[in-house]
Amino acid sequence: MDETLIEIRDMKKIYNPGENEVRALDGIDLTICEKEFVAIIGHSGSGKSTLMNMLGCLDVPTTGTYMLHGIDVSDMDDNELSDVRNREIGFIFQDPMTSLNPTMRIGKQIEEVFVGKKNMSAAEKKQKALEILKLVGISDGERRYKQYPHELSGGMKQRVMIAIALVGSPSIVIADEPTTSLDVTIEAQILDLLKNLQKTLNTSIILITHD
């Protein structure tokens, strides 16, 4: 059996403590193993985004513990959380156009993510980026490498976002409503891609969705 990757115990996130407090999370317990595919499903306002922020080390809980690889990240400061994100976590966001730089070529955007992760030459970065594009089903990577986001279809943009999330071989990939803006056919293709990546890579995938 795969080892425990994430262990959350009695996690609470309280906004405006006091008379008008909002308990976005109220006593969450969650265990996720290495190489596991987990879907966190709930309607708008149910706390999915707050839990995602905790899992992604974008925020810390009011109380409770979050153990990642056996290390408590619950009370880390911003710099420590940034280091954890850089080493451990890749993000796929709902709308690629809010995450991709419209003025930068696709290849350059992937290469930029390598900064701070590995000491690589420009040629090595490009080769690694092309390998990642192929991994997410973009076989004509050389052509796509030179394109800008507006030249790509919605499904292709999301594949690029998945490629960026995989840079550095993270142990966790968090996908936040990754198919909301896609039609049914492309949605199925992206979900199949995520399932296949989870099976072939040493990573856990956490899918946040209302569907």
Side-chain angles (χ1 to χ4, degrees):
M1 184 175 179
D2 293 320
E3 295 183 3
T4 298
L5 173 66
I6 289 171
E7 188 169 7
I8 288 173
R9 290 292 174 263
D10 197 27
M11 178 182 283
K12 298 179 182 180
K13 185 63 178 180
I14 303 172
Y15 297 100
N16 304 319
E19 185 177 345
N20 298 314
E21 70 180 24
V22 175
R23 291 178 173 254
L25 301 176
D26 195 5
I28 299 294
D29 292 327
L30 176 65
T31 301
I32 298 175
C33 293
E34 293 179 348
K35 307 175 188 177
E36 191 172 10
F37 193 118
V38 176
I40 296 175
I41 305 170
H43 57 76
S44 179
S46 63
K48 298 190 308 298
S49 294
T50 303
L51 181 55
M52 181 194 74
N53 288 340
M54 302 299 143
L55 292 168
C57 295
L58 296 168
D59 198 357
V60 293
T62 305
T63 60
T65 59
Y66 174 11
M67 307 296 290
L68 176 60
H69 282 308
I71 298 172
D72 191 353
V73 300
S74 308
D75 56 358
M76 286 185 175
D77 62 29
D78 289 344
N79 290 333
E80 291 171 323
L81 290 174
S82 179
D83 288 340
V84 172
R85 290 195 302 272
N86 191 52
R87 292 193 316 269
E88 301 278 2
I89 304 170
F91 292 94
I92 306 167
F93 293 107
Q94 182 176 136
D95 183 1
M97 290 310 293
T98 63
S99 303
L100 295 174
N101 186 334
T103 64
M104 185 182 292
R105 296 181 192 273
I106 293 302
K108 186 66 174 176
Q109 296 196 50
I110 297 173
E111 289 181 9
E112 286 286 302
V113 190
F114 284 104
V115 175
K117 289 185 179 290
K118 292 181 180 179
N119 184 19
M120 305 170 70
S121 67
E124 288 172 328
K125 287 180 182 178
K126 181 174 181 179
Q127 180 59 38
K128 186 65 175 177
L130 289 172
E131 291 174 5
I132 293 175
L133 286 175
K134 187 175 181 179
L135 186 65
V136 299
I138 301 178
S139 56
D140 55 346
E142 282 283 1
R143 180 167 72 90
R144 301 296 185 184
Y145 209 77
K146 301 173 183 178
Q147 291 184 313
Y148 292 94
H150 72 269
E151 299 177 280
L152 304 179
S153 67
M156 194 63 70
K157 291 188 189 82
Q158 199 57 280
R159 287 178 187 271
V160 170
M161 284 299 301
I162 295 171
I164 289 173
L166 295 177
V167 171
S169 302
S171 57
I172 306 165
V173 171
I174 297 177
D176 181 22
E177 304 274 7
T179 61
T180 297
S181 59
L182 304 177
D183 65 39
V184 174
T185 301
I186 303 301
E187 176 183 14
Q189 292 175 1
I190 294 299
L191 289 175
D192 283 343
L193 172 61
L194 290 174
K195 292 175 187 176
N196 289 333
L197 289 171
Q198 181 267 327
K199 291 176 182 176
T200 57
L201 301 177
N202 291 324
T203 189
S204 295
I205 294 181
I206 301 173
L207 175 67
I208 313 293
T209 180
H210 67 279
D211 187 353

